Amino acid sequence: MKITVFLGAPGSGKGTQAKRLALSHGFTHLSTGDMLRAAITEKTALGLKAKGFMDQGALVPDNLMIDLIGETLAKLPNTSTILLDGFPRTVPQAKALDANPRTTVHQAIYFSIPEKALIQRLTGRRTCKKCGEPYHLLYVTPKVAGKCDKCGSDLIQRPDDTEEVARHRLEVFRGQNEGLLAYYRQEKKLNELNADQDVLKIESLLTKFLEA
Ligand code: AMP
């Protein structure tokens, strides 16, 4: 199966774009963060192990993540075209993905954005509790405050989007990012995108990358 990896800081818009492209183009969107949050809600063994790391804004250990993505990919048909959002986050994860005989990483797209934009993006983020639709207190406001336009459910803030945890997540990102970019650059698979612009503009640039 064909994989495009979305790389970028928390808050750079990877999830928003992956959701839009999944709807408009029929790609399969896999977000490891969403999978872990679901595992926490369902109180699975993985969820219980992951929660402490996530609450602190730390990375969940590679072995757990590599198993999670391996099991998820194993359930998908070979014909799937996948947008991978939030994985890999470390070079060992990138290597594990390349070692999977059923998958080919086609390209890695780096959502580049100035750091100063990120804290406001993260702390203002809200998500529909039920359908996962993303909002922002300043940029993408719902018609009725606190309620989802699509399904009317409550909007919630992720516990790791508070300022303190968000700052730590950005530090963790900085610690891993150069290594990951170097990995995909050396593989000649890296494309960079200016993620500090209009959502529709980014979507159209991504569509060009994905159709290339
Ligand atoms: P995200 O929704 O992608 O921002 O991920 C939320 C949190 O889930 C991260 O801060 C990590 O604690 C954890 N997480 C998600 N994906 C990974 C990954 N590939 N490796 C390690 N931890 C991850």
Side-chain angles (χ1 to χ4, degrees):
M1 58 188 87
K2 194 171 143 184
I3 295 189
T4 294
V5 166
F6 282 4
L7 300 175
S12 60
K14 305 183 300 292
T16 298
Q17 289 294 338
K19 283 194 182 85
R20 296 176 73 95
L21 290 160
L23 275 179
S24 60
H25 287 70
F27 300 123
T28 303
H29 169 207
L30 293 184
S31 153
T32 43
D34 286 350
M35 290 179 211
L36 292 171
R37 282 182 286 277
I40 289 175
T41 304
E42 289 157 22
K43 297 195 167 56
T44 66
L46 171 67
L48 294 175
K49 284 185 201 154
K51 188 174 181 329
F53 297 101
M54 290 175 76
D55 284 349
Q56 290 172 36
L59 291 183
V60 174
D62 282 341
N63 61 331
L64 294 180
M65 297 311 301
I66 290 168
D67 286 353
L68 171 66
I69 208 76
E71 285 161 18
T72 308
L73 292 171
K75 290 183 201 142
L76 294 173
N78 263 329
T79 48
S80 306
T81 299
I82 293 163
L83 303 180
L84 208 43
D85 154 24
F87 187 99
R89 268 198 168 71
T90 65
V91 172
Q93 292 181 13
K95 288 186 176 161
L97 188 59
D98 279 341
N100 184 328
R102 286 184 67 226
T103 62
T104 310
V105 176
H106 218 66
Q107 61 181 330
I109 304 179
Y110 175 50
F111 286 53
S112 167
I113 186 160
E115 283 236 352
K116 59 177 169 43
L118 289 173
I119 284 293
Q120 200 175 57
R121 279 195 179 212
L122 288 168
T123 54
R125 259 191 337 193
R126 297 293 182 273
T127 317
C128 174
K129 196 170 141 181
K130 195 165 168 209
C131 72
E133 185 70 10
Y135 294 88
H136 193 281
L137 292 182
L138 301 176
Y139 314 127
V140 192
T141 51
K143 292 193 186 91
V144 178
K147 300 282 176 195
C148 178
D149 292 348
K150 295 213 164 144
C151 71
S153 300
D154 290 341
L155 304 185
I156 51 165
Q157 182 182 35
R158 278 171 45 171
D160 57 352
D161 275 346
T162 56
E163 181 161 349
E164 191 191 348
V165 183
R167 286 199 187 280
H168 185 58
R169 287 164 63 210
L170 288 175
E171 257 171 54
V172 169
F173 164 76
R174 279 195 292 271
Q176 299 294 335
N177 187 42
E178 275 312 314
L180 264 184
L181 294 184
Y183 180 84
Y184 285 113
R185 196 175 289 123
Q186 175 212 316
E187 302 267 307
K188 303 207 179 340
K189 289 181 179 168
L190 186 66
N191 283 310
E192 189 166 334
L193 174 96
N194 171 9
D196 192 18
Q197 50 184 335
D198 181 72
V199 173
L200 293 175
K201 174 80 181 147
I202 299 173
E203 189 176 0
S204 98
L205 291 170
L206 280 171
T207 304
K208 285 193 191 112
F209 280 138
L210 289 162
E211 283 168 355

